[in-house]
Amino acid sequence: LGYASSFVAPTSPFTAAISRSAQTSSHHATSTSLDATRRNFIDQSIATITATSAIIFQAQPAAAKEAPIEITPQIVQEAFDAIRNELTSSSGVVATLSNLIDNGSFEEILQYTKESDAYFRRAKLGKARKMLTDKDLKGEAVLMSNAVTFDLIGINRASRPGKENREDQLRYLEELKKDIAKFLELEKTIV
């Protein structure tokens, strides 16, 4: 197996394993039995996987942990104002969904609820949640954030072809409003 040295430096501890595999492989290659062929395949596979793994995993840089968010009163207010805007603004998630429901735009609702989960729940609620200082409240905030997801899923399900149901859409929209308002109450707990 002359190719082995191109993958692993000669001083590597894996060179010995590959060499032993090559010697064993040549011994097995002369045998015509099925067991010898299987052993040969297994030996070669192990040597290749070991060498490849050594190369791949040695080259991986260490992943740096995200820098913690600096928590100032202004940053906290901005984060929660962004959430409040989604609840109260005429261009926010709640108003947009309300307009789409009123217009019976089922296909648009399906797409918008998916997008809202990403940009609203994950980004905006997630950012505010990271600012919480109380560990127990962080756990509650995760549950509140999940409730927002379930509200969006409920609106989405009530908008699917053959299952369009305006009453369910409006019920889940009201739940969404309540869950966002409940999340906003967490702002006063950040010190």
Side-chain angles (χ1 to χ4, degrees):
L1 294 177
Y3 65 85
S5 63
S6 64
F7 289 110
V8 181
T11 58
S12 169
F14 298 110
T15 305
I18 292 171
S19 296
R20 281 193 301 273
S21 174
Q23 291 168 354
T24 306
S25 296
S26 64
H27 170 37
H28 290 305
T30 58
S31 176
T32 57
S33 75
L34 185 59
D35 288 340
T37 305
R38 286 184 185 153
R39 279 192 297 268
N40 182 21
F41 174 76
I42 291 170
D43 289 345
Q44 286 178 347
S45 297
I46 290 171
T48 303
I49 290 169
T50 303
T52 305
S53 298
I55 292 167
I56 291 172
F57 292 118
Q58 282 180 341
Q60 297 293 328
K65 188 176 180 183
E66 263 187 45
I69 298 172
E70 182 183 346
I71 301 174
T72 65
Q74 181 181 353
I75 291 175
V76 170
Q77 182 177 356
E78 288 172 2
F80 280 88
D81 281 348
I83 296 167
R84 198 171 290 106
N85 185 52
E86 296 295 337
L87 178 62
T88 59
S89 169
S90 61
S91 62
V93 169
V94 172
T96 301
L97 282 170
S98 181
N99 290 335
L100 291 172
I101 291 169
D102 289 344
N103 294 333
S105 306
F106 296 110
E107 287 182 27
E108 291 179 49
I109 293 170
L110 291 172
Q111 186 62 36
Y112 191 75
T113 52
K114 292 176 190 174
E115 292 169 2
S116 297
D117 186 58
Y119 95 87
F120 176 61
R121 184 197 57 93
R122 288 188 197 141
K124 294 184 179 186
L125 294 180
K127 180 179 179 180
R129 192 178 68 233
K130 290 178 185 177
M131 294 181 192
L132 295 172
T133 52
D134 184 302
K135 189 176 182 177
D136 292 335
L137 285 178
K138 280 187 177 188
E140 286 183 42
V142 169
L143 296 176
M144 291 179 203
S145 180
N146 289 343
V148 168
T149 297
F150 294 131
D151 299 335
L152 292 169
I153 290 170
I155 294 169
N156 184 292
R157 283 186 179 168
S159 304
R160 293 179 185 168
K163 297 182 181 181
E164 297 95 345
N165 186 323
R166 188 171 192 283
E167 289 178 22
D168 283 348
Q169 289 174 327
L170 293 173
R171 181 172 53 91
Y172 282 110
L173 184 62
E174 286 304 312
E175 287 296 317
L176 178 65
K177 291 177 189 177
K178 291 176 188 174
D179 290 332
I180 294 171
K182 187 175 179 183
F183 190 93
L184 287 170
E185 292 174 13
L186 295 172
E187 181 178 12
K188 62 186 172 200
T189 68
I190 300 174
V191 280

